[in-house]
Amino acid sequence: MAPSPSATRRRTAARMPQADVAEMFARLKALNPAPKTELEYTTPYELLVAVTLSAQATDVGVNKATRKLFPVANTPAAIAALGVDRLKPYIATIGLYNTKAVNVVAMAELLLERHDGEVPHDRAALEALPGVGRKTANVVLNTAFGDPTMAVDTHIFRVANRTGLAPGKTVRAVEDALLKAVPDEYLRDAHHWLILHGRYVCKARKPDCPHCAIRDLCRFGERTPGEPVPATA
């Protein structure tokens, strides 16, 4: 669900200077040199399925489901053979599982029909798959193929606006602003650093400002009180 305009206005800060942007990512990299998605996968197809299932669901919840599903079916052919009705019990703990089951099976069938069962390294081809939008395509392109894309979820949207890194009123505006603001050397991993920062530090209801490694760079005007705590890896 896209953030409301009023919520965006409350979270939007003055734009961060480019020198501070570079310092921000240098610090995030020092704390976590090789950031990774928290979704569990071993192949591009497993990642595609996991990301598709993660819409309006937590990574923890998706991982619990795919730990049962993938040992049984983790290829387009196996998922297509499983079918919607037999897929549903594996993902029934995930929100919107009925719709997701239909999409995952249809996606498997289309991969077999058009791409020989392989996940395409192409945005348009990915977005043509059932249940795959721009954000999911960006995750797959970045995480599976190493492309410097930016998948903006609610965490990244919040961090980009709060900090002043890339203020924007819409998800696409923030995505475009991030692609311009993030230095090239950090762009490959920026998606993961930002989502983890939003998930564990710059949280929605009460940001953990005392433990924030970029507190002095942040333009957010409503910081959580408390003395700064030295950041640790």
Side-chain angles (χ1 to χ4, degrees):
M1 181 181 296
S4 68
S6 60
T8 302
R9 285 194 293 271
R10 288 196 298 271
R11 291 192 294 264
T12 301
R15 187 175 296 276
M16 186 184 293
Q18 197 60 32
D20 287 357
V21 173
E23 175 63 19
M24 170 183 175
F25 283 101
R27 294 182 191 180
L28 294 176
K29 181 177 181 178
L31 289 170
N32 187 359
K36 297 179 181 179
T37 179
E38 293 186 321
L39 289 171
E40 297 172 358
Y41 74 99
T42 59
T43 66
Y45 178 68
E46 286 187 358
L47 176 65
L48 176 60
V49 171
V51 178
T52 302
L53 294 176
S54 72
Q56 299 185 42
T58 66
D59 288 0
V60 172
V62 172
N63 289 339
K64 288 180 179 179
T66 56
R67 285 173 196 158
K68 298 177 181 178
L69 172 63
F70 288 159
V72 175
N74 69 338
T75 66
I79 290 290
L82 196 63
V84 173
D85 290 339
R86 288 196 293 159
L87 172 60
K88 284 183 181 181
Y90 290 101
I91 64 172
T93 55
I94 299 174
L96 306 176
Y97 75 94
N98 285 308
T99 298
K100 291 176 181 179
V102 172
N103 284 336
V104 168
V105 171
M107 178 171 64
E109 293 171 344
L110 204 59
L111 286 172
L112 291 167
E113 177 185 331
R114 296 183 181 177
H115 305 287
D116 296 322
E118 298 295 326
V119 176
H121 185 178
D122 178 82
R123 176 185 298 283
L126 285 169
E127 291 187 21
L129 298 172
V132 177
R134 185 176 182 85
K135 184 177 74 173
T136 296
N138 277 336
V139 173
V140 173
L141 291 170
N142 176 262
T143 304
F145 298 114
D147 292 359
T149 58
M150 187 66 63
V152 179
D153 68 349
T154 56
H155 297 299
I156 294 179
F157 186 88
R158 180 172 64 253
V159 171
N161 276 291
R162 272 185 178 169
T163 62
L165 169 62
K169 294 182 178 180
T170 66
V171 167
R172 184 58 188 271
V174 168
E175 178 187 333
D176 292 342
L178 284 169
L179 291 173
K180 292 179 181 178
V182 179
D184 290 345
E185 63 187 292
Y186 300 117
L187 196 52
R188 168 65 178 80
D189 293 318
H191 162 78
H192 297 299
W193 282 318
L194 293 175
I195 196 171
L196 293 171
H197 189 69
R199 184 172 290 164
Y200 296 111
V201 181
C202 194
K203 294 173 279 191
R205 294 187 179 181
K206 187 178 180 181
D208 191 4
C209 299
H211 287 88
C212 180
I214 60 168
R215 176 174 175 152
D216 59 313
L217 306 174
C218 179
R219 268 52 187 176
F220 187 48
E222 302 174 29
R223 299 178 190 175
T224 305
E227 292 299 318
V229 177
T232 57

